[in-house]
Amino acid sequence: MGIDHVQLDRDRIWHPFTQQQAWCEEEPLMIERSEGSYLIDSDGRRYIDGVSSLWCNVHGHRHPGIDAAIAAQLEKVAHSTMLGLSHPAGVELADRLVEIAPPGLSRVFYSESGSTAVEIALKMAFQYQQQRGGQHARRTSFIHLRDSYHGDTIGSVSVGGIDLFHSTYRPLLFPTHAVEPGDAEDLERVLSLHEEEIAAVIVEPLVQGAAGMLTHPPGYLRQVRELCDAFGVLLICDEVATGFGRTGTMFACEQEDVVPDLLCVAKGLTGGYLPLAATLSSELIYEGFLGAPDEYRTFFHGHTYTGNPLACAAALASLDAFEQERTLERLQPKVALLWELLGDVERMSEVSEVRGRGVMVGIDLGPHDPALRLGHRVTLEARERGAIVRPLGDVVVLMPPLSISERELRTLVEIVADSIRAAWSSAYASAAPLVRAA
Ligand SMILES: Cc1ncc(COP(=O)(O)O)c(C=O)c1O
């Protein structure tokens, strides 16, 4: 008798960001295979991967180049530590990352997730200021944007601003200062008030993903950089979501000619294949950690799987694919098509706003009574029609792989529009006339 995976899931798995009580009442979808822009379930049904497997798939699933690179690395070594040893894939990848990153970022520190890339940037900024000494040692706090999301570890949550996710943990967090996203004057005000205690400002450049694809006004990121310089504060850009082409350029920072002091990348780094993250730093910060061993300026941080060779091989192959397949160049007409199609979606009476940049899209249906679970209903309706999407509350997120074809893109937007209509009808079936929550 075969294994009943659905029952086993209900009996054994605790899913992330999931109310298990509701989960166990629904039929879970078991993804067994994949191909290009499609995920395939255990019954052989195909679904367009409309959120790139949580915002990380870049060149599609089962990409021949990435598959082959992982297999080739497997023939050599699957894992060897970066603590006290090194390996070719890790150093080659670091060099490639420095080549494509905003100029001036010259050192690469590996970890495995977006949360840890941010955690590391915060610790680096803090320790750097401590080691500069004098009045800089008082720089122990951080500024972040309201509604920011930088991951789920305690440091990342401390600079997070999404109450639904973060408020429970407040007593565990270190104190920070929150400023209004997109408002440079507010940042200037807070910097002026707390000038001498701020180690760094952290931002998600251009688009705040988990906040519901909130976008900043043009020029804001540049102003943030200028203010950080004026107040002698470090700038950390978290490109975990925006990096590797999502906003139309390799990194979002490029669009405003901004070079952060620390850059966090993860998700799309391996093309969406394996867990790998990197925190890139300026040479100045790196040099601040140099000294004799007994000066104890070492960065005492490192995970067991830091810089895993299989993941580095996947990342190298993903960067090759960017070059060989001219991924960013070929993305531009698709971005234009996507936003043309979204124009029709925004005109739907069920939609209040469509936001985003490049292939990062939030279709806002709100506000609604949370009990209606409108966003979740859209997910279920889309599944019936052959697409996987995952909402943030009542914001339907679309974030397809950069490799999606124009035909698949049209199908995806059509499915989502139909699913929104169907979800709305089912949610309000018993309530006539249809009225939105205040
Ligand atoms: C901007 C940003 N930073 C950090 C993270 C955390 O990344 P991870 O889930 O890999 O820890 C995310 C995840 O969505 C993110 O969007």
Side-chain angles (χ1 to χ4, degrees):
M1 216 178 76
I3 299 170
D4 183 348
H5 290 114
V6 168
Q7 195 52 48
L8 210 49
D9 177 286
R10 288 185 180 135
D11 290 347
R12 290 288 174 251
I13 303 270
W14 190 342
H15 286 266
F17 277 96
T18 300
Q19 175 44 256
Q20 284 291 130
Q21 190 171 308
W23 171 268
C24 290
E25 286 163 7
E26 289 178 0
E27 188 73 10
L29 196 56
M30 289 285 166
I31 299 301
E32 281 196 358
R33 289 180 297 124
S34 61
E35 182 183 43
S37 305
Y38 287 86
L39 296 168
I40 304 166
D41 74 10
S42 35
D43 296 324
R45 285 199 64 192
R46 295 164 67 87
Y47 308 85
I48 299 181
D49 188 353
V51 284
S52 297
S53 297
L54 213 64
W55 313 1
C56 62
N57 190 281
V58 178
H59 309 287
H61 297 276
R62 304 285 330 269
H63 184 277
I66 306 179
D67 284 7
I70 295 171
Q73 181 62 45
L74 205 46
E75 295 282 320
K76 299 175 195 161
V77 56
H79 184 64
S80 161
T81 182
M82 279 241 150
L83 281 70
L85 295 174
S86 194
H87 59 79
V91 291
E92 282 174 37
L93 177 61
D95 191 45
R96 294 279 293 277
L97 287 174
V98 166
E99 208 176 281
I100 60 168
L105 294 166
S106 54
R107 299 284 168 171
V108 176
F109 193 100
Y110 290 120
S111 59
E112 303 85 33
S113 73
S115 307
T116 56
V118 168
E119 202 78 30
I120 286 162
L122 297 173
K123 285 178 72 178
M124 278 180 176
F126 180 91
Q127 190 174 336
Y128 172 71
Q129 303 287 14
Q130 292 297 301
Q131 289 173 177
R132 282 171 88 193
Q135 65 182 33
H136 298 294
R138 290 180 51 212
R139 294 185 177 277
T140 56
S141 189
F142 294 88
I143 294 179
H144 65 88
L145 304 184
R146 259 187 251 289
D147 299 320
S148 54
Y149 178 76
H150 297 289
D152 300 333
T153 53
I154 291 300
S156 311
V157 171
S158 294
V159 291
I162 300 186
D163 274 349
L164 175 66
F165 303 165
H166 300 150
S167 59
T168 307
Y169 307 106
R170 290 279 167 239
L172 295 179
L173 310 179
F174 53 76
T176 55
H177 303 275
V179 298
E180 204 50 41
D183 181 349
E185 278 177 22
D186 194 38
L187 176 60
E188 185 167 14
R189 185 184 60 80
V190 174
L191 276 167
S192 308
L193 280 175
H194 303 282
E195 187 170 353
E196 290 176 356
E197 57 182 273
I198 305 299
V201 173
I202 180 164
V203 294
E204 293 164 76
L206 306 194
V207 186
Q208 286 179 245
M213 303 299 147
L214 294 185
T215 53
H216 300 152
Y220 175 65
L221 185 62
R222 174 116 288 280
Q223 287 174 305
V224 172
R225 174 72 271 185
E226 285 165 8
L227 285 167
C228 286
D229 289 343
F231 285 89
V233 164
L234 299 175
L235 173 62
I236 304 170
C237 281
D238 174 356
E239 294 237 25
V240 169
T242 53
F244 302 100
R246 288 285 158 202
T247 65
T249 48
M250 187 58 94
F251 297 106
C253 288
E254 290 169 34
Q255 295 185 33
E256 303 211 353
D257 273 333
V258 161
V259 181
D261 301 289
L262 292 157
L263 175 74
C264 306
V265 295
K267 289 190 183 283
L269 172 55
T270 59
Y273 265 64
L274 288 165
L276 182 68
T279 306
L280 276 70
S281 96
S282 68
E283 198 65 15
L284 194 67
I285 293 180
Y286 173 77
E287 283 172 357
F289 285 75
L290 299 181
D294 60 0
E295 285 180 67
Y296 301 108
R297 298 170 79 86
T298 304
F299 186 50
F300 290 106
H301 190 114
H303 309 168
T304 305
Y305 284 101
T306 284
N308 169 261
L310 288 174
C312 290
L316 281 166
S318 172
L319 295 182
D320 286 345
F322 266 104
E323 280 178 24
Q324 288 158 10
E325 294 166 21
R326 296 180 294 112
T327 305
L328 292 176
E329 196 183 318
R330 288 170 57 203
L331 179 66
Q332 307 312 319
K334 291 188 260 189
V335 169
L337 172 68
L338 174 62
W339 286 92
E340 188 189 315
L341 298 170
L342 289 169
D344 290 339
V345 173
E346 191 159 32
R347 282 186 284 277
M348 288 168 55
S349 60
E350 296 88 347
V351 172
S352 62
E353 193 184 20
V354 179
R355 299 182 289 266
R357 295 272 176 92
V359 281
M360 287 182 84
V361 178
I363 303 170
D364 197 337
L365 312 177
H368 292 273
D369 179 351
L372 288 175
R373 301 192 73 203
L374 196 62
H376 180 64
R377 285 173 194 254
V378 175
T379 297
L380 298 181
E381 294 287 350
R383 201 177 286 181
E384 289 295 309
R385 291 166 173 79
I388 301 294
V389 292
R390 183 176 163 86
L392 291 158
D394 287 337
V395 178
V396 179
V397 172
L398 286 191
M399 214 184 290
L402 308 192
S403 57
I404 193 167
S405 71
E406 294 199 359
R407 188 176 51 78
E408 291 163 346
L409 204 50
R410 281 181 196 279
T411 308
L412 175 64
V413 175
E414 213 173 276
I415 288 177
V416 167
D418 288 346
S419 304
I420 291 171
R421 285 190 200 96
W424 182 287
S425 303
S426 79
Y428 287 107
S430 56
L434 305 184
V435 220
R436 291 183 189 199

